[in-house]
Amino acid sequence: MPDEILIPLIIFCGSLIYGTFGFGDALFAMPFLAAIIGIKTATPLMTLNGTTLAFLLFLKHYKAIDWKAARKLIVASVCGIPIGIYFLKNGNESVAKIILGIIIIAVSVYNLFIRKENKEVKLHPNLIYLFGFIAGILGGAFNTGGPPIAIYGTLSGWSQLQFVSTLQGYFLPNDFFILAGQYASGLLSKKVFFYYLTGLPFLLIALVIGNKLRSKIPVAKFNNYIFMLLLIIGIVFLTRSVISLF
């Protein structure tokens, strides 16, 4: 299949996931796009896509954002973004993704199969900064900062609407910081903008469909679906990263 068709199709599928759950577009799309156009083109492309998605969902749900949590996550994330961008230009992504995959799988398995449904998880208030910092590193390096924030939100007991809306309150300014860093690093090329503009109509259609799908998910099942999505992401991360070492 020609890249001119395949890349918009990948963007459509990733945006459909984002529209449904409020995150996960880059986590789906990055492995495929990186294999087609390279990680240094795929990462800024998905940052542009993510910024667009976050902006549109932000407009729709900004009244439900937990701004106190979002501000703390943003502050911590900004500290991690330069480390991630440096890692993108100079580091080895396989080791980081192996560690990330193991953590995501462990947390997802615990919440899906081990933790009792009525057992609350009480997080120390300052742990929000750790989750935000890790998300900043992953966002700057691979545009995959969603899992730490998604894990924090589900463990903190955010409602479905609060989860989706607060993620956008975090993602939107965070993506602007990442874009600024990528621009300063020379990563935002004409090729990146070409792929962004050709994929934009598919992104918009997928977002509309995703919003409709989310409205059909029972509130009581939403967190389980999030951890199922994270479990799949973690397995893909771990498998691909281990294979890349050989």
Side-chain angles (χ1 to χ4, degrees), residues 77-118:
S77 181
V78 168
C79 296
I81 288 171
I83 299 173
I85 291 176
Y86 176 83
F87 197 88
L88 173 62
K89 295 195 73 174
N90 304 286
N92 184 331
E93 64 178 289
S94 296
V95 175
K97 286 190 174 181
I98 287 173
I99 296 172
L100 175 63
I102 292 172
I103 293 172
I104 294 174
I105 290 171
V107 172
S108 300
V109 167
Y110 171 76
N111 282 277
L112 284 171
F113 306 112
I114 300 174
R115 182 170 72 90
K116 295 180 180 179
E117 191 171 341
N118 59 352

Side-chain angles (χ1 to χ4, degrees), residues 3 28 37 39 59 66 69 72 98-99 104 112 115 136 148-149 151 156 159 162 186 191 215 218 226 229:
D3 292 352
F28 168 83
I37 57 179
I39 192 169
L59 292 179
D66 181 346
K72 292 179 179 179
I98 287 173
I99 296 172
I104 294 174
L112 284 171
R115 182 170 72 90
I149 309 301
I151 290 171
S156 297
S159 67
Q162 187 182 19
K191 182 189 296 186
S215 67
I226 291 294
L229 176 61

